[in-house]
Amino acid sequence: MIPSAARTFSAAFVFSLVAGCGSDAILQPTAADQQAVASLAEKPYRLQPGEKVRITIYGEAGLSGEYQIDPGGFLSLPLVGVVKAAGISESDLQQLLVKRYSQEYLKNPKITVSVSEFRPFYIIGEVEKPGAYPYTSGLNVLSAIAIAGGTTYRASHSRIYMQHPGESGLSEYTASAAIPVMPGDIIQIPRRYF
């Protein structure tokens, strides 16, 4: 495991390499950015349409498997039928399934739920390869930019715009590796003005 001081230095160094030779300096996140990041990190992750979840019901191999949340936010499961999954956490879904299966079908079911495939994140604007990319745990703005091939020479290196699922528009942030990226996020790298 890399010590946090080394990770911070590494992230800043990589960002400076990705940033290129632009005149914008790497900025530290503002207090508002830090508060936004903290509030995002405190919230439990909520399942989203398009994701796949692995449901394991111990002793019931025929009921266990990977299931995709449909665009309406529902899962279709054997025996219990349609279950609302989008907008709730993995543990909430787990408790709901225990309740539903124990009502009529199984005695004291042991169920685990985990996300097996997250929604992709999207990056647009002044990056070399804009588009949708698979989400991986621990992703931040810096690594998202690197995945998209780095920034173009026209990119601003001082600010970015992000929209998290459920938000109505893009919010402006100081460009910083400290900003986490969540599944379904839209990241826009704006053009700088000379």
Side-chain angles (χ1 to χ4, degrees):
M1 183 125 221
I2 301 171
S4 64
R7 279 190 301 225
T8 303
F9 173 77
S10 298
F13 177 71
V14 171
F15 189 72
S16 66
L17 291 176
V18 171
C21 298
S23 62
D24 293 338
I26 298 174
L27 302 176
Q28 295 300 317
T30 65
D33 290 344
Q34 290 173 347
Q35 186 170 358
V37 169
S39 69
L40 183 63
E42 288 173 3
K43 296 178 186 176
Y45 180 70
R46 304 286 181 198
L47 298 170
Q48 301 178 44
E51 294 182 326
K52 286 185 182 176
V53 292
R54 170 159 288 289
I55 298 172
T56 305
I57 304 173
Y58 296 103
E60 300 292 337
L63 300 177
S64 299
E66 280 192 358
Y67 300 92
Q68 184 156 13
I69 302 172
D70 70 20
F74 293 91
L75 289 171
S76 290
L77 302 171
L79 300 180
V80 295
V82 177
V83 176
K84 179 74 171 173
I88 64 174
S89 68
E90 294 169 276
S91 62
D92 290 342
L93 179 58
Q94 182 175 312
Q95 291 171 7
L96 176 64
L97 293 179
V98 166
K99 182 179 176 184
R100 294 280 296 270
Y101 276 107
S102 64
Q103 284 177 344
E104 296 182 39
Y105 305 105
L106 302 173
K107 184 174 181 166
N108 196 23
K110 305 286 187 244
I111 300 174
T112 60
V113 175
S114 61
V115 178
S116 58
E117 185 178 311
F118 290 98
R119 280 181 64 185
F121 71 93
Y122 306 89
I123 187 163
I124 58 176
E126 296 298 326
V127 290
E128 294 294 336
K129 299 176 199 166
Y133 291 93
Y135 175 81
T136 56
S137 183
L139 197 64
N140 62 35
V141 170
L142 176 62
S143 52
I145 291 170
I147 289 169
T151 59
T152 67
Y153 72 92
R154 295 181 302 267
S156 170
H157 302 298
S158 61
R159 62 192 167 92
I160 61 153
Y161 297 98
M162 285 184 75
Q163 180 180 353
H164 304 295
E167 293 179 348
S168 59
L170 294 165
S171 299
E172 184 175 346
Y173 294 92
T174 305
S176 166
I179 301 172
V181 174
M182 302 301 291
D185 279 357
I186 298 171
I187 306 163
Q188 180 183 8
I189 308 301
R191 182 176 290 190
R192 68 181 160 142
Y193 296 98
F194 298 95

